[in-house]
Amino acid sequence: MPVDRSSDHPDYEEQVLAVVALIPPGRVMSYGDVAEYLGSGGPRQVGRVMSRGGDVPWWRVIRADGRPPPGHEAECLAQLRAEATPLRPDGTRVDMRRARWDGS
DNA sequence: TGCTTGACTTACG
DNA sequence: CCGTAAGCCAAGC
């Protein structure tokens, strides 16, 4: 009989991590962007996977307002800066208009 | 079974 | 710029 996966997504973590790994240096995606790219779940689910951690450039996934996740601001900004990611003049947020990656 | 929590987002004041 | 409110989805207790 067909497997009921209507509420079963054990591979979701793999999907999210795969997309994050595809983000090129100097670019970023918001949690909502990753969710939309996958076409499943939502920003919170992506955030949940990211919080679990993974061998991916997690710093390239930030909030929609261009601000890094709480508790990782310094590390995230350090990495973004090292990769020449377009930052706001204040240096505390990312210039989403330029840094946002659409998957091209 | 039901409420709380969380690396979210958008809108309003 | 900051705080609050509502919407959102899955996991944990």
Side-chain angles (χ1 to χ4, degrees):
Chain A
M1 76 153 253
V3 179
D4 174 15
R5 70 182 68 57
S6 58
S7 58
D8 175 36
H9 291 289
D11 298 321
Y12 192 66
E13 180 177 336
E14 295 287 324
Q15 305 272 355
V16 172
L17 295 176
V19 174
V20 175
L22 289 175
I23 304 175
R27 299 284 215 193
V28 298
M29 281 183 82
S30 69
Y31 297 92
D33 288 346
V34 175
E36 187 178 357
Y37 186 89
L38 290 175
S40 303
R44 311 210 64 135
Q45 278 55 277
V46 175
R48 183 181 67 76
V49 173
M50 298 302 293
S51 67
R52 292 189 57 172
D55 194 3
V56 293
W58 55 267
W59 55 85
R60 293 180 191 155
V61 181
I62 61 182
R63 288 174 56 147
D65 58 3
R67 200 185 151 168
H72 295 272
E73 300 182 21
E75 194 163 337
C76 183
L77 290 172
Q79 289 286 3
L80 293 174
R81 188 173 180 162
E83 311 228 318
T85 305
L87 298 179
R88 283 266 198 174
D90 47 48
T92 65
R93 298 195 345 194
V94 175
D95 187 346
M96 291 302 285
R97 197 175 46 151
R98 292 201 294 157
R100 198 177 198 189
W101 184 59
D102 55 354
S104 58

